[in-house]
Amino acid sequence: MTFLTGPTLIYGLGRSGRGVARFLAREAQVAEWFDARPQPEDEALMTELGFARGDATRPYRTVIAAPGVPIDHPDLQSLREHGAEVMGEVEVAFRARPALPVVGVTGTAGKGSTTVLIASLLRAQGVNALEGGNIDPPLLDVVDRAEVAVAELSSFQLERVPTFRPAVAVVTNLGVDHLDRHGSVEAYHAAKRNVARHQTPRDVLVLPEGAAVPGAATVRRFTPLRLTLADGREVLPVQDLPEGVHPANAAAAVLAAEAMMAHLGRPLDVPALAGALREARAVTGRFETVARHGELRFVNDSIATRTLAVQAALQQAAPPVAWLVGGRDKGAELEPLIAAAQGKVSRVIGFGEDGERFALALGLPYLLVTGQDGTDVMRHAVQAAVGALGMDGEPRGTVLLSPIGTSFDLYRDYAERGRAFVQAAQEAVTALDGPARTFSGTEVEA
């Protein structure tokens, strides 16, 4: 089946581009590819799939641009001027499988956790729901295996969805992020709101109380104070949620799952919904408790690089908190974090490229740590945090990695940073169980 018109160019490889290429090959679609800095393994994959290298200066009818490529990139601008329609992986999935019901989930914080939770709630209803998109795997890798696709959607992906229409859309929240790419909060929010742009009154849009997203869909609103269905019936008391599952994400997921079951024309099993909520678990790297020692807890929130996400972590963390901050700054607002940290954070531990800048701006007592590599830096940071929480005896409270900055200064991605934290936490617990030790690393107290 042909769902793309005219000569097609896959612009940008990486995870999304590879997913597009594999899918087009399975569909016997003809395409070329272009990447300014292709990796050898990507070039090998393109050769294996039978796709020739293209030329971004030639005209194409369809350009499938990876989310990592800015939508206003000169090449994309030129291709549009020469008649190309620019889209992304999500749009390709929608056009290729128009009958597949999709839940589209976006927001400044919580979209990944909410995506995973919606899929698990639907599976508890007997629906073969699979998650993909901005979260692994690429959306095109699941469209032929899923009865319902639950897609985490970034603002970059939502810049390139000219006709995409999810049956159910979820906006977890709208804050400040990616100003380095979008240029303004208004442009960033406009991209996020594209998730509902093509919805009709037959579709459902799930929003937090007070949020404004234009569109024609039927709106369902959630609050983190109650886990309710659209008619107000409580599914589960908020206090019964497992540790690490944010009530706002759960509340949005309940309404989204209910809406999708109605879309499918199937009855909702409320007890099964409540049971799935009780069994929900934090997603790896999202406020995940990875180690304990007595009253001391180690929480991996490595993915938290947005103000709203870090703020939520600070609100959930049990005081006193030793807060690990660092990485590469991407323009996060710090004022809300200063307020959230008051009375909870006893020490900030700064690491990486912008750790010192964050620590200074937060205005709290801090230590700075360095090391030979990412693993060494994280080990020193965790040791310093344990020491700060144990100054008056046995350490207690929370060692919280909620870093504000991206991981790209010291680590390949947030997952690698999280793994370094988990390793350091486990080593710290082992040390606490053994002979008394003091930290002698390279931290500098200010």
Side-chain angles (χ1 to χ4, degrees):
M1 180 179 71
T2 299
F3 49 87
L4 300 175
T5 58
T8 298
L9 179 69
I10 303 169
Y11 192 106
L13 298 179
R15 188 176 71 91
S16 177
R18 290 191 297 269
V20 169
R22 288 192 297 265
F23 182 79
L24 295 186
R26 291 197 300 270
E27 296 290 302
Q29 298 279 312
V30 177
E32 296 179 347
W33 64 273
F34 176 82
D35 193 297
R37 292 182 295 275
Q39 299 299 307
E41 58 268 29
D42 290 339
E43 292 188 88
L45 175 64
M46 295 302 106
T47 300
E48 178 186 337
L49 296 176
F51 293 148
R53 180 163 186 157
D55 182 348
T57 65
R58 295 208 315 264
Y60 292 87
R61 288 291 302 278
T62 302
V63 174
I64 306 168
V69 181
I71 200 67
D72 58 356
H73 189 285
D75 282 352
L76 298 188
Q77 296 276 40
S78 175
L79 287 161
R80 274 191 291 265
E81 290 169 3
H82 287 87
E85 182 183 27
V86 176
M87 66 183 69
E89 173 204 359
V90 175
E91 181 73 16
V92 174
F94 177 69
R95 295 190 185 190
R97 301 293 183 266
L100 176 68
V102 176
V103 182
V105 185
T106 195
T108 302
K111 62 183 181 294
S113 297
T114 303
T115 297
V116 172
L117 187 51
I118 292 169
S120 68
L121 295 185
L122 288 171
R123 287 192 289 269
Q125 299 292 313
V127 176
N128 178 26
L130 298 177
E131 58 266 39
N134 193 53
I135 194 172
D136 278 332
L139 185 58
L140 286 169
D141 282 3
V142 307
V143 293
D144 290 327
R145 298 184 289 116
E147 184 180 358
V148 171
V150 186
E152 180 193 346
L153 303 172
S154 71
S155 59
F156 304 157
Q157 290 173 309
L158 288 169
E159 288 179 314
R160 51 207 79 198
V161 286
T163 69
F164 172 62
R165 175 192 160 195
V168 179
V170 179
V171 179
T172 58
N173 43 56
L174 288 174
V176 178
D177 198 15
H178 297 305
L179 299 187
D180 52 340
R181 269 281 294 266
H182 295 288
S184 69
V185 174
E186 291 74 21
Y188 168 62
H189 285 183
K192 290 289 192 183
R193 291 180 177 129
N194 280 340
V195 73
R197 181 179 178 186
H198 300 290
Q199 285 189 299
T200 74
R202 297 191 301 275
D203 305 316
V204 172
L205 173 61
V206 178
L207 294 175
E209 290 288 352
V213 174
T218 299
V219 174
R220 299 279 185 261
R221 294 193 178 275
F222 67 89
T223 168
L225 302 178
R226 297 189 69 214
L227 306 177
T228 60
L229 301 175
D231 62 7
R233 283 182 293 158
E234 186 176 67
V235 176
L236 187 74
V238 168
Q239 60 267 27
D240 288 356
L241 284 173
E243 179 182 83
V245 177
H246 197 284
N249 298 341
V254 165
L255 290 175
E258 179 189 23
M260 180 49 72
M261 292 303 290
H263 176 83
L264 296 172
R266 293 164 62 171
L268 184 71
D269 185 338
V270 179
L273 200 63
L277 286 170
R278 287 192 180 93
E279 295 174 3
R281 295 292 179 267
V283 176
T284 300
R286 295 174 173 90
F287 204 83
E288 174 193 22
T289 298
V290 297
R292 290 180 182 273
H293 185 275
E295 296 183 43
L296 181 65
R297 181 164 63 135
F298 298 81
V299 175
N300 174 20
D301 197 37
S302 177
I303 200 171
T305 60
R306 302 164 177 86
T307 300
L308 284 172
V310 178
Q311 191 174 16
L314 289 170
Q315 290 167 350
Q316 292 181 80
V321 177
W323 177 18
L324 277 59
V325 303
R328 182 170 295 162
D329 183 19
K330 62 173 183 174
E333 287 184 300
L334 298 182
E335 285 298 322
L337 304 182
I338 295 171
Q342 294 303 315
K344 297 197 78 170
V345 175
S346 63
R347 191 65 59 95
V348 171
I349 312 297
F351 67 93
E353 188 173 304
D354 287 309
E356 182 173 13
R357 199 183 69 74
F358 288 145
L360 284 169
L362 292 168
L364 296 165
Y366 70 91
L367 298 168
L368 301 177
V369 300
T370 60
Q372 297 178 352
D373 53 29
T375 299
D376 197 40
V377 167
M378 192 61 69
R379 181 181 297 115
H380 289 168
V382 168
Q383 289 174 341
V386 172
L389 294 175
M391 294 178 67
D392 299 322
E394 186 71 12
R396 66 177 184 85
T398 305
V399 176
L400 172 66
L401 171 64
S402 194
I404 307 175
T406 67
S407 57
F408 305 126
D409 57 336
L410 292 169
Y411 309 94
R412 184 171 61 250
D413 51 28
Y414 84 89
E416 183 178 76
R417 179 167 62 186
R419 287 192 293 271
F421 177 78
V422 172
Q423 178 181 332
Q426 292 170 346
E427 291 174 357
V429 168
T430 300
L432 288 168
D433 285 333
R437 288 173 50 177
T438 58
F439 177 56
S440 59
T442 55
E443 85 275 19
V444 178
E445 185 166 3

